[in-house]
Amino acid sequence: MNISVLKKITLLALAGMPAITFAQDAKYTIQGKIGNNNAPAKVYLEYRKQGKTIVDSVTLTGGKFQFSGVTGTDPVNAYLMFNDKGNGAGSAEDYRSIYIEPGTVNVITADLLANAKVDGPKTNRDNEKYKLAQKPINDAYEALAAKRKAATPEQQADPAFAKQLSAEEKAIDDKSTLADKQFIKDNPDSYISLNALEGYAYSADYVDIEPLFNAFTPAVKQTEAGKKFAERLPKLKAVALGATAPEFAEADTSGKEISLSSFRGKYVLIDFWASWCGPCRRENPNVVVAYNKYKGQKFTILGVSLDRPNAKDKWLAAIHKDGLTWNHVSDLKFWDSKAAALYAVRGIPQNFLLDPNGKIIAKNLRGEDLEKKLSEIFGKI
């Protein structure tokens, strides 16, 4: 399961948050009640520890369950999963995210674990507050996903319908970004704000990200996740608006190495995507329209794929099927893509627009925003 920025799980492909290491030992207890369930029903606790996935389980007695152990001082994102047959976490369809932290976490529900009331130490309380603030946004994302799923074949083939959905998604994205920023500003002492900053950084620029991070309390900054984010700041600064885009070179579809600098003299859109990324594939028609409209105006695109190792055939098939007739490169290293790391890319689709001198003049242009930006540059065509 991807444990970062859950609100965009169906709309945005995101890299997983780095695993948190365990530091000084401290006791934790996770206890609760799920209706009046008994054996063989089980609750599973799943989390990451030192790069490995850990799964523990307990059998319910009168609906009650309890996990206990030791953890470090840093909160650890985890999942509780309920399976009435007790035949494994992988078969569980009812789950609830919590944080393992020193102290006692209480999880109570009369029915679904997903509906449980969670109470506990600070991180879990803050997480509930964050979820409450994000609920209208998550509901909007789910409604949009349902609308897309219910679309008729005629609607799916209609560019106007796709354009409408894209505009609706962009509006929700904007609300989500503003909500994240407000929560971070209001809660500088919260580990949850650090997680929210991960989501906010996807669409924000360095000039907005740095002061939010600097305002965090020393305790938040000194968590392992806080230290890792501090290490990312120089990379985010290197791809800030106005900066010269970092140089890179990768193999194209035929194996020939192409460098970014070879496109100097043109406006270049560096487009990070992947064949497996649903949101990217839905965004591709917008990029195709913009490319076809402005490719004769000193504008081009360099597609950078985060496709998996040994998946070159899927990458090539997606290029062909989506009609992406511009230059494409990839080292086929999935989230270990060197170009993605260089540009601090942790979610796709994501893009950077460069001027003829290689300076970054816009980023994350989705939907109609790309065409609008290019029309500002080249005028109406």
Side-chain angles (χ1 to χ4, degrees):
M1 295 181 186
N2 190 325
I3 60 175
S4 66
V5 200
L6 288 175
K7 63 179 177 292
K8 292 185 180 177
I9 198 166
T10 61
L11 295 166
L12 177 67
L14 292 176
M17 290 280 286
I20 298 169
T21 57
F22 283 56
Q24 303 168 355
D25 286 347
K27 293 182 179 180
Y28 74 85
T29 298
I30 302 167
Q31 61 187 23
K33 192 173 187 296
I34 305 174
N36 294 303
N37 292 281
N38 290 289
K42 288 185 179 181
V43 173
Y44 300 84
L45 176 66
E46 180 176 303
Y47 57 94
R48 297 278 291 173
K49 179 180 179 181
Q50 298 175 342
K52 297 181 180 179
T53 298
I54 307 297
V55 181
D56 195 3
S57 67
V58 293
T59 302
L60 291 170
T61 302
K64 295 182 179 180
F65 68 90
Q66 180 175 299
F67 296 94
S68 60
V70 294
T71 183
T73 55
D74 289 2
V76 178
N77 197 188
Y79 279 91
L80 288 173
M81 294 171 283
F82 172 70
N83 185 338
D84 60 354
K85 295 182 177 61
N87 59 352
S91 300
E93 296 182 355
D94 183 19
Y95 63 92
R96 186 72 156 79
S97 65
I98 61 165
Y99 281 84
I100 299 173
E101 59 180 328
T104 301
V105 182
N106 294 295
V107 183
I108 308 294
T109 179
D111 43 59
L112 294 176
L113 185 55
N115 298 331
K117 179 180 179 181
V118 178
D119 188 24
K122 178 175 173 54
T123 304
N124 280 282
R125 290 197 310 271
D126 288 349
N127 191 40
E128 293 305 293
K129 183 165 64 173
Y130 178 74
K131 283 185 175 181
L132 184 62
Q134 289 288 332
K135 188 178 185 308
I137 295 165
N138 290 333
D139 289 346
Y141 276 126
E142 290 178 6
L144 180 61
K147 186 175 181 179
R148 182 175 282 118
K149 185 177 181 180
T152 65
E154 291 75 20
Q155 287 176 315
Q156 293 175 2
D158 182 6
F161 182 74
K163 188 175 182 179
Q164 175 192 336
L165 293 185
S166 180
E168 291 179 17
E169 182 175 341
K170 177 63 166 56
I172 303 171
D173 287 346
D174 290 344
K175 289 180 181 179
S176 177
T177 298
L178 289 174
D180 276 342
K181 184 176 183 179
Q182 191 61 52
F183 186 90
I184 296 163
K185 290 177 69 175
D186 292 344
N187 301 275
D189 63 341
S190 175
Y191 184 83
I192 301 303
S193 291
L194 184 58
N195 286 350
L197 187 59
E198 285 283 352
Y200 178 73
Y202 167 76
S203 55
D205 192 45
Y206 176 80
V207 69
D208 297 310
I209 298 167
E210 183 197 29
L212 290 174
F213 180 81
N214 288 341
F216 283 147
T217 60
V220 173
K221 291 180 181 178
Q222 287 305 308
T223 62
E224 288 300 312
K227 292 174 183 177
K228 287 183 181 298
F229 197 94
E231 292 172 0
R232 285 183 59 209
L233 282 174
K235 289 186 176 180
L236 290 168
K237 186 177 183 179
V239 292
L241 293 175
T244 298
E247 168 72 339
F248 66 90
E250 288 189 359
D252 67 6
T253 56
S254 64
K256 178 184 176 182
E257 191 168 272
I258 295 181
S259 65
L260 175 63
S261 58
S262 66
F263 298 98
R264 284 289 172 91
K266 291 185 176 182
Y267 287 86
V268 182
L269 185 75
I270 307 175
D271 185 35
F272 289 92
W273 73 295
S275 67
W276 50 262
C277 167
C280 303
R281 303 294 295 275
R282 292 195 297 270
E283 183 64 21
N284 278 343
N286 295 321
V287 185
V288 169
V289 169
Y291 177 73
N292 289 337
K293 189 172 183 179
Y294 294 101
K295 63 183 179 181
Q297 304 293 316
K298 291 189 176 181
F299 170 68
T300 193
I301 299 175
L302 178 60
V304 182
S305 171
L306 275 65
D307 269 280
R308 293 177 170 86
N310 303 316
K312 185 175 181 179
D313 56 335
K314 294 180 180 179
W315 173 41
L316 298 180
I319 291 172
H320 177 72
K321 183 175 181 180
D322 293 1
L324 314 182
T325 57
W326 47 84
N327 288 285
H328 293 271
V329 297
S330 180
D331 56 13
L332 297 174
K333 291 185 177 180
F334 197 36
W335 286 113
D336 290 327
S337 162
K338 291 182 180 179
L342 186 63
Y343 279 71
V345 170
R346 294 173 61 81
I348 53 175
Q350 191 161 5
N351 57 47
F352 299 81
L353 181 63
L354 318 184
D355 72 7
N357 296 314
K359 213 169 256 192
I360 299 171
I361 57 174
K363 59 175 67 175
N364 203 30
L365 296 168
R366 298 177 66 188
E368 291 185 328
D369 289 347
L370 176 58
E371 199 281 329
K372 287 179 180 178
K373 183 64 180 179
L374 293 176
S375 70
E376 290 176 9
I377 296 171
F378 300 114
K380 298 292 182 181
I381 295 177

